[in-house]
Amino acid sequence: MKRILGLTTAALLGASVLAAPALAESKMDLSGDAGATTTMPDVDTGTTAAIGGNFESALTAIGAGSSNAQAIGTLSEVDTVKVVSVSDLEGHDQAALDQAVSQNSDSLDELRTSIGANAALSEELRSQGVDTSAVVAAQIEADGQVTVYVM
């Protein structure tokens, strides 16, 4: 019995040594010092599907206009700005959009003022041909990208 227990223990320990490298977390140095190259997949950033946008997310951003205005007011740098036309979003409902804009007109004014006061963001929007008066919502994504919804 001791022999079977000993063999079983040895087999389990041996198997864990072989499996450990497969379970270990791998970290890569992407600084380029090791001569490694990184290939990014092709991503279609020109569609609303690529940003995961839908009409409900736009309505949520419109409702959070005041807090988004405050967050935009604190931005010192703007790396990426994605401009999304609300009418191009899946599930677009013009009546719901008009109602949301009407109900949130004060926070929308605050958002537009905040965008205008942020030199980096307003310059980027101008370079993309966006008039601040067309903005109905904006939000800062987790990766730091600013998504601006326009009519």
Side-chain angles (χ1 to χ4, degrees):
M1 183 69 155
K2 287 183 180 181
R3 187 173 192 187
I4 292 173
L5 185 58
L7 288 173
T8 305
T9 303
L12 287 173
L13 287 173
S16 67
V17 168
L18 294 174
L23 298 174
E25 183 178 336
S26 174
K27 293 189 178 188
M28 290 178 51
D29 179 14
L30 298 178
S31 65
D33 295 337
T37 59
T38 305
T39 304
M40 296 299 290
D42 290 333
V43 177
D44 179 10
T45 58
T47 65
T48 54
I51 61 164
N54 62 41
F55 187 68
E56 290 300 317
S57 62
L59 289 180
T60 301
I62 292 170
S66 186
S67 62
N68 289 336
Q70 291 173 1
I72 286 171
T74 64
L75 286 178
S76 58
E77 291 183 21
V78 178
D79 292 329
T80 307
V81 178
K82 174 72 76 178
V83 178
V84 179
S85 175
V86 178
S87 62
D88 292 341
L89 292 172
E90 181 180 331
H92 174 257
D93 178 353
Q94 189 62 43
L97 175 62
D98 293 341
Q99 181 179 5
V101 168
S102 174
Q103 289 176 345
N104 294 285
S105 63
D106 289 342
S107 63
L108 182 55
D109 290 339
E110 183 181 346
L111 175 65
R112 289 174 177 161
T113 300
S114 182
I115 291 171
N118 186 309
L121 181 55
S122 61
E123 178 59 35
E124 179 60 30
L125 290 174
R126 269 192 294 273
S127 74
Q128 293 189 36
V130 176
D131 183 2
T132 308
S133 65
V135 174
V136 293
Q139 60 191 28
I140 302 171
E141 307 297 336
D143 63 358
Q145 171 178 293
V146 178
T147 301
V148 178
Y149 295 93
V150 297
M151 288 178 72

